[in-house]
Every structure is written in C-alpha cells, then in structure tokens.
Amino acid sequence: LLVAGRRMVLFERETKDPHVTSDAPLTCLAYCARTSEIFTPIHSDAGIGGKEAGGSVRVWSALDGSAHASFESVVGSNITALAVDQNHRRIAVGSEKGEIVILNVGSGHTLKSLTAHSMPRAGRMHPDEEDSRPREPAEVNQIEFIATQVVRQGGVVEWQPVKVVTMSAAAKQVFVHDDTHPDKSSLLKAIDASQQAIGNLEGLGGAGDIRRFSVHLDYGLCGVGSEDGTVGWYNVFSGKMEGIGRSDKIAEGTSVSHCRFLRRCPLMLSCDSACSLIFWSLRPLPTYDVFFH
C-alpha cells in the first residue's frame, strides 16, 4: 500500500508471518482522522486451534507507515467491507459470510453485532416453498454510518449516531440497522433491490446485481447503482422503491461503479464503467431525472 501526499509513505507487509498478511489483495480500507490511522483487512491463513481462519484488522500509522496493532479474528471469515463512524471512535467490519460487527477504534473491542446478510440457497423450488428455502451467507460489500450533527454546550459539534446501512451485492439487498444504542442494534428495514433492472423500465421484469449505495437522511432516500447501469431510489423508512432511471446516453453493458448524494443541492452523482458522470435530480427539480450527463 503506497500513500502519496506531501511525502510518499510505503506501508510494508511481513510476507513470512501469516498472522500479519495474506497473498490476497486489499479489498477495502478505512481511515480514522482522529487517530491518523489506516485500517486494512488481514486474516490468519493457518487458523487458530484447527478452526477456520477468521478475518482480522491491521492498524497502520498514517504518519510513518508503521503497522503497530491488529485486531485478531473479529469476524469468522475474510473481511470485505470497512467503515469508520463520523466521530472516529468506532469501526464497522463486514465479512464474506455476511457478518457485521462494530468495534472500538482504540482497542478493537466488539461493541455490538448487527443482523447478518443472507440469501436463499440456489436451486429450483415450488413457488409456495420459496419462503422456506434454506438460506446461505451473503457477502457484505459496503457499510455506511448515518449520523446527525448535534451542537453541545460550548458550541462543540458532535455527531449523533442514527443508523448503519449495509449492502450485499450477491443478495441484492440493503439493510438499515438502528444505531441509537451503544451496545445493541435491530434491523429496521430490509430493502430488496432484486427487481432493479433495465427490464423494469420496459415492463419486462428481471434482476440486476447492485454495486453501490448512498443515503440522504433529509430526503429519506437510499440511492442504489446497479451492474446494468440503472439507478434506483428507495425510501429508507418503508423500504419501497420510489423510482428507477437509466441515462439513454450510456452504452449497453455499462455498470454503475459509484453513487453519492450531493449535500448542498438536490442532486445525486453517479459514475460508471464508461467514465461517465451523471447528475440525477431530486425534488424540487423533476424527480429522479437526468439533470446533466
């Protein structure tokens, strides 16, 4: 890992120690501005006591590049998503088996576990038996803390935790978790994005893999970009789809790689694999329409 700013810093790995690194590439990282630390996923290739290897977090100094701590086996499988909260005191960890845990940034202590992602096991079943189909873990691909600003006595501005939103691309689902309690959580809403596809714009149905999401609490919206180039908007509180769109200027096979609400204007920005930037309008502008491509 190489970081360049006013100077270049090389974050070296210890290739001979399986507890420090593996040959797998970095799939995610998170930065804590309060402690100037970078968090990256590692896992023990050997496992512990014959058990399956668990996912661990390595803590690097962003000032000199030294690796000075690790949080061992915080989840039971490889880590696929990391996020630091707005107060820079907690870090969320997601795994390839759907696990989601919240850790203390300083000690790595597990504060709470969130509802895991899962999906029905593949295989044909009678329609009446769909709900009883055995389920299997679904990889967590993105995590985002949602908080509101609170002004304390003396003019100190802090962030009040509200929700944690997680996404599994394989399960085509976005979970909205309660984050108002420090050591427990509940699943508030499960957003099903399995019907977000080009076919739905044409009345044909179908399902597209989702790639990225962004949440705007003031609008109560979750924007979701998909592999087929569509962007869907879902109500965070009800979980229902409110709109779906796709620019007619992007080529077939183009996927949305990222999306983000703009905080100071009623727009959402998405970028795709064809290097296009699309601004989508929100109320009071024409809702869920292409504002600029």
Side-chain angles (χ1 to χ4, degrees):
L1 177 63
L2 183 66
V3 176
R6 294 181 179 176
R7 56 190 174 128
M8 299 187 72
V9 180
L10 177 64
F11 294 78
E12 297 182 0
R13 64 175 191 160
E14 302 173 35
T15 55
K16 295 181 180 180
D17 187 348
H19 290 277
V20 174
T21 187
S22 73
D23 292 330
L26 288 177
T27 55
C28 56
L29 61 82
Y31 174 67
C32 180
R34 184 177 63 86
T35 60
S36 297
E37 292 175 331
I38 296 174
F39 299 86
T40 61
I42 59 173
H43 73 276
S44 170
D45 298 322
I48 301 175
K51 298 181 180 179
E52 184 179 357
S56 302
V57 177
R58 193 65 166 173
V59 185
W60 307 81
S61 169
L63 303 178
D64 60 13
S66 63
H68 55 78
S70 63
F71 306 148
E72 298 290 340
S73 300
V74 295
V75 290
S77 58
N78 291 337
I79 294 171
T80 54
L82 292 168
V84 173
D85 75 343
Q86 288 84 351
N87 289 319
H88 307 286
R89 299 187 181 279
R90 299 180 300 158
I91 181 171
V93 180
S95 79
E96 64 183 3
K97 289 191 175 181
E99 306 156 286
I100 309 154
V101 296
I102 308 295
L103 311 177
N104 181 289
V105 162
S107 65
H109 173 70
T110 300
L111 302 174
K112 58 184 175 181
S113 298
L114 308 185
T115 303
H117 282 272
S118 64
M119 59 183 178
R121 188 170 298 168
R124 293 185 178 181
M125 295 189 69
H126 190 275
D128 295 337
E129 299 175 345
E130 286 290 326
D131 294 338
S132 61
R133 192 188 332 185
R135 302 186 70 83
E136 60 185 7
E139 180 179 307
V140 179
N141 302 102
Q142 185 184 353
I143 305 174
E144 188 171 321
F145 286 95
I146 307 300
T148 57
Q149 280 190 331
V150 177
V151 180
R152 304 294 186 187
Q153 188 175 5
V156 179
V157 177
E158 291 186 356
W159 290 91
Q160 183 69 38
V162 178
K163 305 177 189 299
V164 178
V165 184
T166 61
M167 185 197 79
S168 172
K172 303 179 180 65
Q173 62 188 198
V174 177
F175 281 177
V176 181
H177 310 262
D178 175 58
D179 193 32
T180 57
H181 198 281
D183 57 8
K184 64 181 180 180
S185 180
S186 60
L187 180 63
L188 299 177
K189 191 60 61 179
I191 297 175
D192 179 14
S194 62
Q195 294 303 308
Q196 180 180 323
I198 298 174
N200 282 337
L201 295 172
E202 302 169 351
L204 302 177
D209 292 339
I210 58 177
R211 298 292 298 272
R212 213 68 186 167
F213 75 83
S214 180
V215 174
H216 198 306
L217 204 57
D218 292 339
Y219 282 99
L221 288 176
C222 177
V224 180
S226 76
E227 203 167 42
D228 60 6
T230 59
V231 176
W233 290 271
Y234 300 83
N235 187 296
V236 170
F237 305 104
S238 68
K240 295 181 179 180
M241 178 185 283
E242 294 198 353
I244 181 174
R246 186 178 192 273
S247 173
D248 55 7
K249 295 182 180 180
I250 63 175
E252 184 177 351
T254 301
S255 63
V256 176
S257 55
H258 199 80
C259 59
R260 179 65 59 181
F261 284 102
L262 305 184
R263 300 301 175 185
R264 299 182 181 275
C265 53
L267 298 171
M268 189 181 84
L269 172 66
S270 69
C271 53
D272 55 44
S273 56
C275 301
S276 297
L277 295 177
I278 302 175
F279 292 86
W280 301 87
S281 58
L282 307 172
R283 59 181 185 272
L285 300 173
T287 312
Y288 316 135
D289 197 6
V290 176
F291 180 77
F292 181 76
H293 187 153

